[in-house]
Amino acid sequence: MMEGLVSLKATPKISFRSPPSVFHRPCLSIRPFMNPLGANRHSAASIRAQQPDAKDGSALVSTVSVENKEISELKVKEWEVGMFQEEVAASQGIRIRRRPPTGPPLHYVGPFEFRIQNEGNTPRNILEEIIWHKDTEISQMKERQPLSLLKKALENAPPTRDFVGALKEANHRTGLPGLIAEVKKASPSRGILREDFDPVEIALAYENGGAACLSVLTDEKFFKGSFSNLEAIRNAGVQCPLLCKEFIIDAWQIYYARIKGADAVLLIAAVLPDLDIKYMTKICKMLGLAALLEVHDEREMDRVLGIEGIELIGINNRNLETFDVDISNTRKLLEGARGQLISQKGIIVVGESGLFTPDDIAYVQEAGVKAVLVGESIVKQKDPRLGISGLFGKDILVSS
């Protein structure tokens, strides 16, 4: 499964470019020939003052060159900050790197610069590939729509609905885990799940089938989703609260999800350090959004349980690095002291991935979940309403 994606490696290559405007500091263990960031740093004005009068525009060229140098230095500084963030993440057991560790700094040799292309700047698994792509994607989106514009758009955003309350009500009414039904066209591991994909039609069928909430995939490259789908479902009059299922690495995405109609967002512990989670959950509360914190192993669970104010924890039975699925993972993470602490804090646990039958639902419910997030097993059904009743072994619109 996912052959060629789970463990990606590239044959070492060397790519040559023209001389750089600034000698970038080589990364990691390679020592620099010189450090431009601490030497000969003059302002554009002081450089201009030293230039002789020239009618051919050479002084202007020098000014532009200095400004380009300052931009290049800023990019290197941004990279250095990113590397520090990676160190913090690694100390918390986070293996997913936020960006390629080998660039932008380039090695300088004579009139050329080059970057060695090897396993250092090749994603090691599918989740890392998704995150690296997301980092580039969000940078471009932020340029088109700065945060200041998103904050202004909040004035016209629809009011949020009670995502957590909807799950509690469904669990109390039916005696079964509240269903978060997922509107998903494709996944990296399964490919296209449904060819005749109409997000609004599927969302309405889920709602009519008894779903308490909906999850809408918004990642385009790997899951064939979009924020347009989220917005269309909200504008179609669907009453179920909506979870924006996105790979969030920047607070900007939370604001964007809010103005597109989300009532909740997903935060993945395998990607986000503790400080990011604390910061982002505070933003969610400020915007009236619920935050579903997703974990996969004991260390991630312990990290999340150590953060105050968490209301929803999703246990993903799928390892996002290998895409292997094991629903016993839910029971393992809810045994003993962890389960007791979750109960004391009143946290709702959501079972995720690998749930296809009434026996699967009963298994995770017995382990302690109060809600389940299900996509593949119901979205592939010709009539998603029948898929829901088949999943639970009964019509969940009717109280038990």
Side-chain angles (χ1 to χ4, degrees), residues 33 41-42 68 72 91 97 101 105 116 141 152 188 195 200 204 215 239 241 244 276-277 298 313 354 368 380-381 390:
F33 293 104
R41 299 185 66 183
H42 301 292
N68 286 341
S72 296
S91 73
R97 300 169 295 177
I116 297 176
M141 292 178 73
K152 189 173 182 180
E195 292 288 352
V200 172
L204 290 170
S215 168
Q239 296 302 305
C244 174
D276 281 356
I277 292 175
E298 293 96 331
I313 294 179
K380 294 175 71 173
Q381 303 298 319

Side-chain angles (χ1 to χ4, degrees), residues 35-339:
N35 182 2
L37 299 182
N40 300 322
R41 299 185 66 183
H42 301 292
S43 67
S46 65
I47 294 293
R48 282 197 297 270
Q50 299 175 40
Q51 296 294 328
D53 291 336
K55 295 182 180 180
D56 61 0
S58 60
L60 178 60
V61 171
S62 295
T63 300
V64 172
S65 177
V66 171
E67 291 174 347
N68 286 341
K69 175 181 176 179
E70 291 173 346
I71 292 173
S72 296
E73 291 177 351
L74 177 61
K75 288 184 179 298
V76 172
K77 279 296 182 186
E78 290 175 348
W79 175 80
E80 289 175 339
V81 170
M83 291 302 292
F84 176 72
Q85 291 173 339
E86 299 289 2
E87 291 177 6
V88 172
S91 73
Q92 295 173 8
I94 298 174
R95 295 180 297 274
I96 301 301
R97 300 169 295 177
R98 288 282 292 272
R99 54 185 61 83
T102 52
L106 306 173
H107 310 306
Y108 183 74
V109 179
F112 301 105
E113 64 181 9
F114 66 92
R115 175 158 45 226
I116 297 176
Q117 299 174 344
N118 54 25
E119 66 274 6
N121 54 21
T122 301
R124 296 175 295 194
N125 53 62
I126 185 61
L127 180 57
E128 195 163 85
E129 183 180 5
I130 291 171
I131 295 304
W132 288 8
H133 179 268
K134 192 63 60 178
D135 188 62
T136 301
E137 177 186 294
I138 297 308
S139 296
Q140 295 170 350
M141 292 178 73
K142 288 169 69 175
E143 288 183 3
R144 294 193 297 268
Q145 290 185 274
L147 183 59
S148 57
L149 291 183
L150 298 189
K151 289 182 176 179
K152 189 173 182 180
L154 287 174
E155 300 172 4
N156 300 316
T160 56
R161 295 161 300 191
D162 189 357
F163 191 89
V164 175
L167 294 177
K168 288 181 178 178
E169 190 280 330
N171 177 241
H172 178 74
R173 176 176 56 84
T174 66
L176 294 167
L179 173 62
I180 307 171
E182 192 151 81
V183 181
K184 177 166 67 173
K185 181 176 182 177
S187 76
S189 60
R190 301 292 188 181
I192 300 296
L193 300 175
R194 189 183 183 102
E195 292 288 352
D196 58 331
F197 185 79
D198 184 326
V200 172
E201 182 180 312
I202 292 170
L204 290 170
Y206 284 159
E207 185 170 60
N208 292 333
C213 301
L214 304 182
S215 168
V216 183
L217 262 297
T218 53
D219 177 78
E220 295 189 26
K221 179 176 175 63
F222 297 91
F223 290 85
K224 311 302 180 187
S226 72
F227 279 96
S228 296
N229 290 348
L230 177 66
E231 196 169 29
I233 291 171
R234 182 64 191 257
N235 293 338
V238 173
Q239 296 302 305
C240 288
L242 306 179
L243 170 72
C244 174
K245 187 78 172 290
E246 175 63 296
F247 294 87
I248 291 179
I249 56 174
D250 191 297
W252 181 94
Q253 294 166 275
I254 300 175
Y255 285 89
Y256 193 68
R258 172 70 179 87
I259 67 173
K260 291 297 182 180
D263 303 293
V265 296
L266 178 73
L267 302 177
I268 303 175
V271 172
L272 300 171
D274 295 355
L275 190 60
D276 281 356
I277 292 175
K278 293 175 183 178
Y279 173 58
M280 290 181 179
T281 51
K282 287 181 179 179
I283 290 176
C284 287
K285 283 182 168 59
M286 182 181 71
L287 298 179
L289 297 170
L292 174 61
L293 270 295
E294 182 176 285
V295 304
H296 174 71
D297 59 30
E298 293 96 331
R299 186 163 187 178
E300 291 173 4
M301 176 65 89
D302 291 339
R303 285 175 49 216
V304 170
L305 287 177
I307 297 173
E308 291 300 319
I310 301 300
E311 296 181 278
L312 282 173
I313 294 179
I315 297 179
N316 198 339
N317 297 313
R318 174 177 283 113
N319 184 319
L320 292 179
E321 295 182 36
T322 65
F323 271 61
D324 293 337
V325 178
D326 180 5
I327 67 170
S328 69
N329 189 53
T330 296
R331 182 184 295 276
K332 179 177 69 175
L333 296 190
L334 293 179
E335 289 177 336
R338 292 187 183 93

